[in-house]
Amino acid sequence: MAERAPAKREPAVERSGFVDLLAACGAILVVGLGLAFVFVIALVSLGTLPDEQKAAVVTAAFTVLGTIVGAYFGVKVGSAGKERAESARDAESVKVQELAARVDPGTAVDALDSAHRRLERS
């Protein structure tokens, strides 16, 4: 009887370049609309408020501007770091699966017992 070949692991579904471009355009559009909205509100407020209160409007507008830009770039950096970490984890998982498939059963049982003991200690 012929031996069966090990099942091949299906590659993870990756987003296409178009989907990434569309997501980036959508994020930039949302941020741009938010900034435009703050700009319009600040201009309208500056035209209708007395001179003593205009500094408060400008300060608030700059605060909102900084918050929007900071949040946008913070989310971008965080999601890029998450993708790199998940990619590294997936690569290590494939390595471990390949190693486990080629080790003799006795060694595998010993290794799993050792891993369980280490996990119980932590």
Side-chain angles (χ1 to χ4, degrees), residues 1 5 7 12-13 23 31 34-35 39 50 54 62 65 70 73 85 93-94 96 99 101 103-104 110 116-117 121:
M1 197 178 233
V13 177
V31 170
L35 294 176
F39 181 73
K54 288 184 179 181
F62 275 108
L65 175 72
F73 286 113
S93 176
V94 168
V96 168
L99 285 169
V103 73
D104 69 278
D110 292 342
H116 286 295
R117 284 193 302 273
R121 280 188 256 157

Side-chain angles (χ1 to χ4, degrees), residues 70-84:
Y72 174 77
F73 286 113
V75 167
K76 283 298 215 182
V77 168
S79 66
K82 179 184 173 207
E83 287 177 14
R84 281 193 308 271

Side-chain angles (χ1 to χ4, degrees), residues 29-67:
L29 179 67
V30 168
V31 170
L33 287 174
L35 294 176
F37 188 66
V38 170
F39 181 73
V40 168
I41 289 175
L43 284 180
V44 170
S45 297
L46 286 174
T48 59
L49 292 175
D51 289 341
E52 306 86 44
Q53 295 178 352
K54 288 184 179 181
V57 170
V58 171
T59 302
F62 275 108
T63 301
V64 170
L65 175 72
T67 302

